[in-house]
Amino acid sequence: MKTGIIGLPQVGKTSLFRILTKADLTPSHTNPREAHIGVAKVPDERLDRLAEMYHPEKTTHASVEYVDLGAIGQEALKESAYLGHLRQVDAIVHVVRAFEDDSIPHVGPIDPLRDIKNVEFDLMVSDLGQIEKRMERVEKDLKKMKSPDLEKELELLKRAKAHLETERPLRELEMTPEDKKRFRGFMFLSEKPILYVLNISESAGLGKDLEAAMTKYGVAQLVGAAGEPSSPATQPGAQLKNAGATAICGKVEAELAEMSDADAGEFLASYGLKESGLSRLIKKTYSLLGLISFLTAGEDECRAWTIPVNTRAVEAAGAIHSDLEKHFIRAETIRWDQLLEAGSEANARAKGILRLEGKDYLVQDGDVLHIRHSG
Ligand SMILES: Nc1nc2c(ncn2[C@@H]2O[C@H](COP(=O)(O)OP(=O)(O)OP(=O)(O)O)[C@@H](O)[C@H]2O)c(=O)[nH]1
Ligand SMILES: [Mg+2]
């Protein structure tokens, strides 16, 4: 699962990528036309708490992969290298400039909503071009031979074209799972889930400013209430939007990245913040991708494992090891906070709160699993 970072020139993409992934990009590596790839650790308080209880030799967080794609625009979208990288990603983080700084050029006055709409427009134009090309091809083929399958595709292409022509991205087009499958190979840009990241100025009241930013710049309305990425499971109505928003202050995040955890905590508090913007951003990316974590806990390792929402226990076992999936018997299951409260797995078992779940159990975010197997 890869998330691509896009945005207009000089909005702070590479700075953000660098602190997200702690990548040390020396200037020789910052060729703007070359995509940078890095991995960010997904903050997980549940895992940290369990690790405090187990004192394991190793604690392993889940991770998300980010790609810094470089500046976007009509030109970049015509370059096959850029387009190729962008098509490959599963979700998009669109960094939008909201910070004031006269020394850093920007096209026109600071206007995040305008920038968002412009970039979105470019993505849609690219998709439209691809759809029109494909339609021509399909129409030609249909003249030569009858094919119910191609007819269905043509119908969908026409519907998508009409939708795009009303300037709405494909992620807002109603599609059946069958439609989605038909479209998968095209890797349309405006179909990808997107997270808008407002990069705002540093200020004394940063905590309040970050909260207010989405409303102030009109981005909240674009993505629905509170800018929460709409997760399919929780918000059926908002599901079609598949978009979320968050605000960060790149300047402050860069300073935070250099600090020890204790110093960072104090620094955050001095701005009236509970959590770093970065950590919010990573969590939102995770849910935008439709991912959750289950945990395993023990003296050797405490670990978070990544699975899509609605994954069955037997497949979750497969995320750990294919043998566990093959020889799956049962999953001993408990919610992380229940385990913490019980103090140990043995206590939980004695109290009868350790559940024995079968293959088809749908694993929940924050479940602690112990896979019983016959291998
Ligand atoms: N004031 C201010 N400057 C920033 C912030 N984030 C980035 N910058 C500055 O903006 C300039 C561009 O930052 P980059 O992170 O390279 O931006 P980019 O989007 O990767 O730029 P391109 O790849 O060239 O499109 C640098 O001089 C940064 O120091 C911010 O939050 N506040
Ligand atoms: Mg850059």
Side-chain angles (χ1 to χ4, degrees), residues 5-18 30-32 36 68-72 95 97 99-105 199-202 248-253:
I5 300 176
I6 65 167
L8 294 173
Q10 299 283 292
V11 294
K13 299 178 295 296
T14 303
S15 310
L16 181 65
F17 171 83
R18 201 177 272 147
T30 51
N31 174 354
H36 312 130
D68 177 13
L69 290 158
I72 195 166
V95 183
R97 173 156 171 184
F99 65 83
E100 305 280 347
D101 188 335
D102 292 336
S103 68
I104 297 161
N199 191 7
I200 74 168
S201 293
E202 190 172 4
I248 58 153
C249 173
K251 264 255 164 72
V252 167
E253 295 298 333

Side-chain angles (χ1 to χ4, degrees), residues 134 149 152-153 156-157 159 173-188 191:
R134 178 66 191 162
D149 209 45
K152 274 207 184 126
E153 186 184 335
L156 177 62
L157 287 166
R159 203 155 66 82
L173 177 67
E174 213 151 330
M175 281 195 274
T176 63
E178 193 195 348
D179 292 340
K180 282 209 153 89
K181 219 162 130 195
R182 243 176 245 289
F183 264 5
R184 193 171 301 152
F186 295 106
M187 298 188 264
F188 290 122
E191 193 187 353

Side-chain angles (χ1 to χ4, degrees), residues 216-242:
K216 176 176 170 191
Y217 295 112
V219 178
Q221 294 87 308
L222 207 64
V223 297
E228 284 305 316
S230 43
S231 112
T234 54
Q235 287 170 278
Q239 181 195 343
L240 275 182
K241 290 223 154 168
N242 244 330

